[in-house]
Amino acid sequence: MTSNHVVFFDTTLRDGEQSPGCSMTTQEKLTMAHALEDLGVDIIEAGFAMASEGDFAAIATITQAIRKPRIASLARAKTEDIEIAARALQFADRARIHVFLASSDLHLEYKLKIGRQEALDRTAESVRLARSLVDDVEFSPEDATRSDRSFLIDMVRVAVEAGATTINMPDTVGYTTPEEYAQMFRDVRERIPAIDQQNIVLSSHCHDDLGLAAANSLAAIQAGARQVECTINGIGERAGNAALEEIAAALYVRSDYYGSTSSIKLDQLYPTSQVLGQIITFKPSPNKAIVGANAFAHESGIHQHGMLANPLCYEIMTPALVGVSRTHLVLGKHSGRAALRHRLEQLGYTLSREELQQTYYRFVALADRKKNIYDQDLVSILPDPIRERRGETVSELG
Ligand code: KIV
Ligand code: ZN
């Protein structure tokens, strides 16, 4: 594995599940965990063991069925949370306890009602306890991006000294920007040399409130993050988490720029997205990058013409790369003659130049009235002699 290898930590079953319309039964989580294993993720955060009996059961079940990825449970910086997480993980081949505690004054004062010193003490105690139970402990200073930088660094230093093996830097409320987030990683590495000396993994964890989650995650990777936390279809609190498929595809398509590798099997991205879409209550929006229904669809005439000449004109990756079976040339009012001819030929109709022109006028008039044009619509606007030439009538086509 190269030093530029990015570890994918999937939190679809924890941060993702924690959002409206996304709750999953143990069986559904198990189905999803198998899909994530096939996708090649390195770590599955299977839940928050203390949150409910259901979460505990799901984590325990997943540890017994899934062998390749490491399995993690979230825990607050509290003894009972950490002990329950360890119990849920007891059958895992490789377990991780993920401890979090807020580092911003806003959260400390209003949510936890504790001071900075108490937060540092709790960090040390909880990471030490977790390390006495498992050898892989991640610590997250929650709301890191809105925390006083020097206090944040104190907290991370305490966690490192107490034995944390991964330090995750959450942009809990999706507030940061790529350059600012990257600078935070550079600061932490510079001010705590033990991170690089002891090979401690820095991790990014971004939310999408400003639509910057994937960009921020990629900026963190450039600044030394070796783990990225993300979810399938970008599900998660509020506007969601960084979308796994966007980061994995960006690292591959722009490997010239990022120079990083991952274990993600790209052709499983779309199938995994589909599995999730069938489990939760909504599918990705049609214009969602990589996995949306329109991610490889082209309607405008200029684009369709370019696509037919050479797909590279308008596609930066083949649909097959991410597991989508084919590019879709959608016929609509912006389409041109080239795409119309192409589709009619696929349907078995070869038109002369004049016939195509005549059919094209009818097609544009229809597309002005109708949002979706189906194959039957196309056949119905063909002049009679053309239809008869193929020996079919509209009624036969239904
Ligand atoms: O967004 C966040 O801060 C989290 C932590 C619990 C890691 O999800
Ligand atoms: Zn989160």
Side-chain angles (χ1 to χ4, degrees), residues 14-15 74 98 100 140 142-143 168 170-172 205 207 229:
R14 199 279 297 171
D15 222 352
L74 187 68
H98 175 189
F100 75 101
S140 290
E142 189 190 14
D143 206 16
N168 181 45
D171 182 28
T172 305
H205 178 114
H207 282 266
E229 301 198 352

Side-chain angles (χ1 to χ4, degrees), residues 106-276:
L106 190 66
H107 279 228
L108 292 180
E109 185 180 341
Y110 291 97
K111 191 181 75 174
L112 300 175
K113 302 187 190 333
I114 60 172
R116 286 182 175 188
Q117 188 54 50
E118 187 170 347
L120 295 181
D121 295 344
R122 281 197 198 175
T123 301
E125 283 157 24
S126 57
V127 172
R128 237 182 269 125
L129 172 63
R131 262 314 289 269
S132 72
L133 299 169
V134 293
D135 61 7
D136 185 325
V137 173
E138 172 170 327
F139 177 75
S140 290
E142 189 190 14
D143 206 16
T145 53
R146 292 190 303 167
S147 302
D148 172 71
R149 185 60 49 91
S150 85
F151 177 67
L152 175 69
I153 285 167
D154 287 347
M155 193 181 233
V156 169
R157 187 179 293 110
V158 165
V160 168
E161 284 166 5
T165 45
T166 295
I167 296 289
N168 181 45
M169 309 290 287
D171 182 28
T172 305
V173 289
Y175 175 74
T176 198
T177 64
E179 180 46 36
E180 186 184 65
Y181 197 47
Q183 187 57 46
M184 185 173 76
F185 282 79
R186 288 193 287 265
D187 284 352
V188 169
R189 286 177 72 193
E190 194 184 301
R191 303 265 302 275
I192 312 176
I195 288 181
D196 286 339
Q197 286 159 5
Q198 295 173 26
N199 204 20
I200 288 163
V201 173
L202 284 183
S203 165
S204 82
H205 178 114
C206 297
H207 282 266
D208 209 26
D209 300 68
L210 293 175
L212 292 172
N216 289 338
S217 306
L218 291 164
I221 289 169
Q222 285 185 288
R226 290 192 285 139
Q227 171 178 292
V228 68
E229 301 198 352
C230 42
T231 61
I232 300 298
N233 297 347
I235 65 166
E237 295 275 13
R238 307 178 309 280
N241 286 57
L244 182 149
E245 59 276 7
E246 293 173 12
I247 299 167
L251 290 180
Y252 180 82
V253 172
R254 296 308 313 274
S255 57
D256 59 321
Y257 184 71
Y258 292 109
S260 297
T261 56
S262 82
S263 301
I264 297 297
K265 297 188 185 84
L266 296 175
D267 64 357
Q268 290 303 306
L269 287 174
Y270 183 69
T272 312
S273 159
Q274 292 284 299
V275 173
L276 181 65

